[in-house]
Amino acid sequence: MKKKVSSVILSCIFWGSGQFFIAKKKVRGILFFAVQILLVAIELLSGYWLNWFTGEIQNFDIGIYGGYFTKGLWGLFTLGTVPGVGGDHSTMLLINGILALMGLLVFVGIFIWNIRDAYRLGRQLDETGKIETVSGRIQRRKAFPYLVLLPIGIIIALVVFMPIVFSVLTAFTNYDANHMPPAQLVSWVGLKNFAKLFNVPIWSQTFFSVLGWTVVWAVCATFSTYFLGLFQALILNSRHVKHRGIFQAIFILPWAIPGMISLLVFRNLLNGQFGPLNQFLMDIHLIHSRIPFLTDPTIAKISIILVNLWMGFPQFMVMLLGIMSNQDTNLYEAAEIDGANKMQVFAHIKLPLLTNATAPLIVMNLAGNFNAFGSIYFLTNGGPTNPSYQFAGDTDILISWIYKLTLDQRMYNMAAVMNILIFLFIAAVSIWNFRRTNAFKEM
């Protein structure tokens, strides 16, 4: 039998044995075997398998007596069988199941690594009769980046990846106010929540209306701030402007003030009944009745976009000023010598250069505005209320609607469906836009 075959067979049964006995890589073999021992120890010691083997437990219930991995997978698939206090807690079983599955995937990855390494070493022995050796210093140098990244990878898996998986899986359950563990069990419902969103009239009407306003809001919020920032940057970059630093400091103030404070101030300023702006306009006889800045659906949407414009343009202004300061002015001078006027230079040279440089940032800002929860919640709280919508107001965007579904209505399953759809929509738009930018093509 070839050594690569025997090495693989041994390593499949006892991890690292092919490396230890066939390739004589004893340290590597011991490490692989230690991982296998760790896997078995976690499963046996965290459950009652030994009691079952010795006959102390006759009717073995995996949900009660199983080890960490078997009980975790059982909970992931069943979400519990005994409701009520003292019974199964479906959400905790789901979380533990996800963690158990992630842990098993790590062990499976190490097992595959063990098999591939045993096959590679066995093949070298079959082909050359010896193992290619690498100095310990080179091995340590190659392993060092992975050792440094390992703690970060674990933290990312627990803090970022696990909640995302939990949210995605929640979309396929009936986890809502009527199924709250531990009093009631949560169960898998497949694609019923997605079908409900698109087939039930009130849900579909609310979703497409809110989605349409979300798109309008994101586009207007992004490009209005960009072009106002561009306009201010062009003015401040002009050689005719004196005391440029003073004006720049003044324009940056809206960006420097915390956004939540600005939004709450504007919420009081634009109050339809007691707001000072309405009172001032009436005092100077510019209007005869109060303007419903935040209570009329159309005016409220315009107010949100204008407030965001005031808060957001300094970011693009500063960014564009930095780009302009690093541009070669000889290009503009050469165009003017060739007979181009100021507008032609701006339209055909300066603007394309600026948009090419800032295109990735525009895309990221667009994606961020899709999830601009604070701009809606702190200014209008999604209002005014629309009775034809399902738990949403006229100015709610998808993320603020998700907030209401989660915190107010406890419809976690429908909120999770929205999360998935938002991710797919933003990812598709962002990827499509990124691939069209020159900055992406040059990577």
Side-chain angles (χ1 to χ4, degrees), residues 349-368:
I349 299 177
K350 180 172 286 190
L351 184 60
L353 290 175
L354 291 174
T355 53
N356 286 338
T358 57
L361 297 174
I362 295 174
V363 174
M364 288 189 291
N365 193 268
L366 180 67

Side-chain angles (χ1 to χ4, degrees), residues 119-407:
Y119 177 81
R120 181 181 61 84
L121 294 175
R123 188 179 62 181
Q124 289 181 9
L125 288 174
D126 288 334
E127 294 176 354
T128 63
K130 62 179 181 179
I131 302 295
E132 297 180 2
T133 58
V134 181
S135 67
R137 183 176 181 181
I138 295 177
Q139 288 180 342
R140 288 191 296 271
R141 185 178 297 177
K142 289 183 177 180
F144 180 73
Y146 299 100
L147 293 176
V148 172
L149 291 175
L150 181 61
I152 301 175
I154 295 174
I155 293 173
I156 290 175
L158 295 177
V159 177
V160 178
F161 184 71
M162 196 279 290
I164 291 175
V165 175
F166 178 82
S167 177
V168 171
L169 293 180
T170 302
F172 301 94
T173 68
N174 60 351
Y175 187 21
D176 55 21
N178 297 321
H179 301 87
M180 293 295 296
Q184 296 90 23
L185 291 175
V186 175
S187 58
W188 297 106
V189 297
L191 297 175
K192 287 184 179 179
N193 295 323
F194 293 87
K196 178 180 179 180
L197 181 64
F198 293 104
N199 294 333
V200 178
I202 190 169
W203 278 104
S204 61
Q205 178 189 352
T206 305
F207 173 71
F208 287 111
S209 298
V210 173
L211 175 61
W213 160 236
T214 303
V215 174
V216 172
W217 148 255
V219 172
C220 292
T222 301
F223 290 100
S224 62
T225 53
Y226 179 80
F227 284 109
L228 181 57
L230 175 61
F231 177 73
Q232 296 291 351
L234 290 171
I235 293 176
L236 291 177
N237 196 55
S238 173
R239 61 177 180 269
H240 302 293
V241 176
K242 305 298 181 183
H243 308 294
R244 185 180 308 168
I246 297 175
F247 290 106
Q248 187 171 341
I250 294 173
F251 289 146
I252 288 177
L253 285 177
W255 191 27
I257 300 173
M260 185 183 71
I261 296 176
S262 298
L263 290 166
L264 293 177
V265 169
F266 272 106
R267 184 172 184 171
N268 291 324
L269 185 67
L270 299 175
N271 187 285
Q273 295 181 346
F274 311 105
L277 180 58
N278 263 322
Q279 188 62 48
F280 172 74
L281 295 176
M282 293 182 69
D283 290 342
I284 63 174
H285 304 290
L286 193 62
I287 60 174
H288 299 288
S289 60
R290 295 182 180 274
I291 301 174
F293 288 109
L294 303 179
T295 54
D296 179 84
T298 303
I299 298 177
K301 292 176 180 179
I302 296 173
S303 300
I304 292 172
I305 293 173
L306 292 178
V307 170
N308 180 80
L309 176 62
W310 181 84
M311 294 172 54
F313 84 88
Q315 176 187 1
F316 283 113
M317 181 193 72
V318 172
M319 178 180 62
L320 291 166
L321 278 173
I323 296 174
M324 289 179 187
S325 64
N326 292 320
Q327 285 183 337
D328 187 4
T329 57
N330 293 329
L331 185 63
Y332 308 137
E333 294 173 358
E336 291 177 357
I337 293 173
D338 289 339
N341 56 37
K342 296 288 185 180
M343 183 57 70
Q344 289 174 329
V345 171
F346 172 76
H348 298 287
I349 299 177
K350 180 172 286 190
L351 184 60
L353 290 175
L354 291 174
T355 53
N356 286 338
T358 57
L361 297 174
I362 295 174
V363 174
M364 288 189 291
N365 193 268
L366 180 67
N369 282 323
F370 270 97
N371 291 320
F373 170 78
S375 299
I376 305 299
Y377 182 78
F378 293 114
L379 190 59
T380 65
N381 196 21
T385 303
N386 191 327
S388 63
Y389 286 179
Q390 184 78 334
F391 310 121
D394 280 299
T395 59
D396 269 318
I397 58 176
L398 288 174
I399 191 66
S400 62
W401 187 25
I402 289 173
Y403 176 85
K404 291 181 178 179
L405 290 174
T406 304
L407 273 296

Side-chain angles (χ1 to χ4, degrees), residues 12-16 31-41 107:
C12 285
I13 302 172
F14 298 104
W15 299 10
L31 289 176
F32 279 123
F33 185 67
V35 173
Q36 185 182 21
I37 294 297
L38 178 63
L39 171 63
V40 175
F107 282 108

